[in-house]
């Protein structure tokens, strides 16, 4: 039997969606979050080996993952009524960069022109939920433009002090690009003033990457090396 055929016989975890040799669900530490999380995953984001959307949601008692391109409203995407979408924030970097703004903050609320909102502290304090866009750079852009209701939400961008832990495994087109689990940790940890959230998610991500490297050595068909063309494709967008 070929290695490819053997790989097809490996079951996927029903919780994180990864092939069971890559699953770390048994080490997931639950987090009670005050701020809700909605993760919108582009349907073409199929990197099961290195993706973190479902692993991120596994940690939180209040988190929803939806796969698709567009939804008519935040309420429809979330699956329950939202009385005030303006108290939700969408994390979307786009062309905006914290490094080009007059601030050293890691989380910045911006307006439609990409400028810093006035009253940053009050805006961030009022946030009740976060929308994270899961996919490559161009896929996140597609989700942003196909869901006009996001303009009713507050837009935030990140200026992380440390680059993504992906390192060479999955290159980002910009230094401020993070994995979904890292972004969730940074945002929730700061907004809820709970550094333990970031620490828990970062540790989980480290375990996931360590497991990936281990499986890549022993079962490379289940943990293939990232495609080289992905970074170049995202850079063009």
């Amino acid at each position: 039997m070929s290695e490819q055929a053997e790989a097809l016989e490996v079951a996927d975890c029903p919780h994180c969606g990864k092939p069971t040799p890559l699953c770390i669900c048994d080490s997931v530490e639950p987090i009670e979050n005050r701020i809700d999380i909605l993760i919108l995953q582009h349907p073409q984001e199929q990197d099961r080996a290195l993706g973190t959307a479902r692993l991120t949601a596994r940690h939180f008692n209040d988190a929803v993952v939806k796969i698709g391109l567009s939804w008519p409203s935040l309420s429809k995407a979330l699956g329950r009524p939202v009385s005030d979408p303006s108290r939700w924030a969408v994390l979307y970097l786009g062309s905006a960069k914290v490094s080009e703004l007059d601030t050293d903050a890691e989380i910045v609320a911006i307006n439609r022109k990409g400028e810093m909102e006035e009253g940053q502290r009050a805006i961030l304090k009022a946030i009740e939920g976060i929308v994270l866009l899961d996919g490559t750079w161009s896929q996140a852009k597609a989700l942003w433009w196909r869901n006009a209701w996001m303009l009713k939400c507050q837009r935030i961008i990140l200026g992380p002090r440390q680059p993504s832990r992906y390192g060479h495994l999955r290159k980002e087109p910009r230094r401020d690009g993070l994995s979904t689990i890292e972004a969730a940790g940074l945002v929730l940890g700061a907004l809820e003033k709970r550094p333990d959230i970031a620490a828990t998610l970062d540790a989980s991500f480290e375990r996931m990457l360590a497991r990936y490297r281990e499986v890549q050595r022993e079962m490379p068909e289940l943990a293939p090396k990232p495609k080289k063309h992905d970074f170049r494709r995202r850079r063009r967008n």
Side-chain angles (χ1 to χ4, degrees):
M1 183 180 294
S2 67
E3 289 185 349
Q4 183 177 9
E6 290 178 357
L8 293 175
E9 292 186 354
V10 176
D12 292 340
C13 171
H15 304 295
C16 69
K18 295 182 182 297
T20 49
L22 292 170
C23 173
I24 62 165
C25 284
D26 59 349
S27 67
V28 167
E29 181 179 339
I31 300 171
E32 292 190 9
N33 52 311
R34 172 177 57 82
I35 296 175
D36 297 337
I37 301 175
L38 171 62
I39 301 174
L40 301 181
Q41 185 179 71
H42 193 285
Q44 292 180 358
E45 172 54 71
Q46 298 178 358
D47 190 348
R48 295 188 306 154
L50 285 171
T52 63
R54 291 177 67 175
L55 176 60
T56 302
R58 286 277 290 156
H59 279 276
F60 294 99
N61 67 305
D62 200 339
V64 174
V65 178
K66 290 292 183 65
I67 301 173
L69 284 174
S70 63
W71 297 263
S73 66
L74 172 58
S75 295
K76 290 293 186 181
L78 188 61
R80 63 172 174 78
V82 176
S83 59
D84 187 359
S86 68
R87 296 183 72 109
W88 277 68
V90 180
L91 173 57
Y92 175 63
L93 300 183
S95 60
K97 296 181 180 180
V98 170
S99 61
E100 296 177 352
L101 303 175
D102 185 20
T103 180
D104 59 357
E106 289 189 282
I107 305 172
V108 179
I110 62 174
N111 59 26
R112 294 189 183 186
K113 295 181 179 180
E115 303 166 336
M116 283 184 63
E117 296 271 23
E118 294 184 4
Q120 289 284 314
R121 182 176 298 181
I123 290 173
L124 297 179
K125 185 178 181 180
I127 290 176
E128 297 178 347
I130 298 292
V131 180
L132 302 175
L133 308 181
D134 185 72
T136 64
W137 205 260
S138 59
Q139 289 168 356
K141 180 179 179 180
L143 288 169
W144 172 259
W145 286 105
R146 291 177 69 102
N147 292 277
W149 54 264
M150 291 185 186
L151 295 177
K152 297 180 180 179
C153 304
Q154 176 63 57
R155 180 180 168 188
I156 59 174
I157 59 176
L158 302 182
R161 296 187 176 92
Q162 300 295 329
S164 174
R165 288 170 174 78
Y166 270 135
H168 71 279
L169 289 178
R170 185 170 177 175
K171 291 185 179 295
E172 296 294 340
R174 282 173 25 187
R175 186 183 183 280
D176 51 358
L178 298 178
S179 66
T180 297
I181 197 168
E182 290 172 305
L186 176 56
V187 175
L188 268 292
L191 296 186
E192 295 202 17
K193 300 186 183 305
R194 289 180 53 192
D196 63 290
I197 293 179
T200 297
L201 294 187
D202 287 346
S204 184
F205 189 36
E206 291 282 9
R207 289 194 298 273
M208 190 202 87
L209 294 177
R211 179 68 60 83
Y212 173 88
R213 294 185 179 99
E214 177 185 343
V215 173
Q216 191 177 65
R217 290 192 299 269
E218 300 175 357
M219 306 173 70
E221 69 277 7
L222 292 181
K225 293 183 178 180
K227 296 180 180 179
K228 294 182 178 180
H229 66 75
D230 186 58
F231 174 53
R232 295 196 294 269
R233 177 170 61 86
R234 285 186 289 172
R235 284 189 62 183
R236 290 198 297 268
N237 290 278

